[in-house]
Amino acid sequence: MPSLKDLKNRIGSVKSTQKITSAMKMVAAAKLRKAQEQALASRPYTLLMDKVVSKIASKTSGNSIDLLNGKTDNKTQLIVVFSADRGLCGGFNGSITRAVRAEVKKLEQEGIQVKLLMVGKKSADALNREFGHLFVERIDGNSAKPNYTDAEILAKKIITLFDNNEFGVCKVIFNKFVSAISQEVTYKSLIPAEIQETEDDTNNSNSIYEFEPSEEEILNDLLPRNLSTQLFSSQMESTASELAARMTAMDNATRNAGDMIDNLTLLYNRTRQAVITKELIEIISGAEAL
């Protein structure tokens, strides 16, 4: 049985941990509101960009535009992975890591070579031993503060790799924000661009659009912007999901610490009572012996 001093020290240690987890929960909750608003506000813009690209692509064959169709002759696939730079956020990083591991093994079984572009420290560290040889680059320090400039830089790196025939298809994996207690691992195709069925196609409309300049020129300018937009949106969704997961994890940790403190306090009181009872018995026994 632990001594009273050991129990007291342990109770103090758990109380200190509880203060830290409670503070981290409040910080995450404060940051989550802004990140959630940004993620939700980006969705209509991203959806509209998809519709614009789809509408223009439906009016042209687009066979000469590699960013629209990918490179069918190149069997290498690039996966952009968004994870967190910090831990203590529940299963957020673990879910991304498991999804990437499963996707890589699936593609390799199909005879497709895989390359990974890691954005975020945690999943990169977790996958480094097994798939480190597949990394084309790892970017740390950008998960907490997404901005469009970083997304543009990342998009340029991807386009450069694509132009150098490093891969033929590019996908992104990230956690999509659903609610404060739920995040969904999401796969999205960046190259080739995801083409949605437009309303004109659905309604068999005979509407005629004229584009100036040509559809191919518009797409050549629009697709790199669309790539940056999709990456920026994925980063914002991932950041909001990370903060939500951290808030929930720290709330659970705070509650568990409270339960542990109660249990340790009860054990401390019982142990103290046993010690006092033992001392009284020794005193009485000594008095009787005299």
Side-chain angles (χ1 to χ4, degrees), residues 95-113:
S95 61
I96 286 292
T97 301
R98 288 191 298 273
V100 174
R101 184 178 287 112
E103 184 71 9
V104 171
K105 290 182 178 179
K106 174 188 171 185
L107 291 173
E108 287 181 341
Q109 288 176 356
E110 295 174 356
I112 299 174
Q113 186 179 353

Side-chain angles (χ1 to χ4, degrees), residues 44-60:
Y45 183 81
T46 306
L47 182 61
L48 184 59
M49 179 70 86
D50 284 337
K51 288 183 178 180
V52 170
V53 171
S54 299
K55 183 171 289 187
I56 298 175
S58 66
K59 303 301 178 182
T60 178

Side-chain angles (χ1 to χ4, degrees), residues 154-203:
L154 182 59
K156 289 179 181 177
K157 290 179 180 178
I158 293 173
I159 292 174
T160 300
L161 292 171
F162 184 69
D163 290 340
N164 292 336
N165 205 34
E166 295 285 337
F167 64 90
V169 174
C170 177
K171 291 183 179 180
V172 61
I173 298 180
F174 62 96
N175 267 312
K176 182 179 180 180
F177 178 82
V178 179
S179 68
I181 59 173
S182 178
Q183 301 83 41
E184 179 184 353
V185 176
T186 303
Y187 301 79
K188 190 166 188 178
S189 176
L190 299 178
I191 303 173
E194 288 190 350
I195 303 300
Q196 302 177 358
E197 188 178 15
T198 62
E199 293 181 2
D200 292 345
D201 298 332
T202 304
N203 300 328

Side-chain angles (χ1 to χ4, degrees), residues 27-43:
V27 171
K31 292 181 178 179
L32 174 61
R33 182 175 181 180
K34 181 179 179 181
Q36 179 180 348
E37 290 175 352
Q38 290 178 333
L40 295 178
S42 72
R43 290 179 184 177

Side-chain angles (χ1 to χ4, degrees), residues 72-132:
T72 56
D73 57 331
N74 191 327
K75 298 301 181 181
T76 302
Q77 185 171 134
L78 176 68
I79 301 177
V80 183
V81 182
F82 283 104
S83 66
D85 289 313
R86 295 164 48 196
L88 299 177
C89 48
F92 174 83
N93 292 308
S95 61
I96 286 292
T97 301
R98 288 191 298 273
V100 174
R101 184 178 287 112
E103 184 71 9
V104 171
K105 290 182 178 179
K106 174 188 171 185
L107 291 173
E108 287 181 341
Q109 288 176 356
E110 295 174 356
I112 299 174
Q113 186 179 353
V114 181
K115 294 184 178 180
L116 299 173
L117 199 164
M118 310 298 297
V119 183
K121 184 175 184 294
K122 286 299 179 179
S123 284
D125 289 344
L127 295 169
N128 184 57
R129 176 177 293 182
E130 189 175 1
F131 299 120

Side-chain angles (χ1 to χ4, degrees), residues 57 60-71 162-163 214-220 223:
T60 178
S61 61
N63 294 329
S64 60
I65 305 174
D66 288 336
L67 285 177
L68 184 63
N69 303 301
K71 296 180 179 179
F162 184 69
D163 290 340
S214 67
E215 294 90 338
E216 287 79 5
E217 291 182 67
I218 295 174
L219 286 173
N220 282 326
L223 287 171

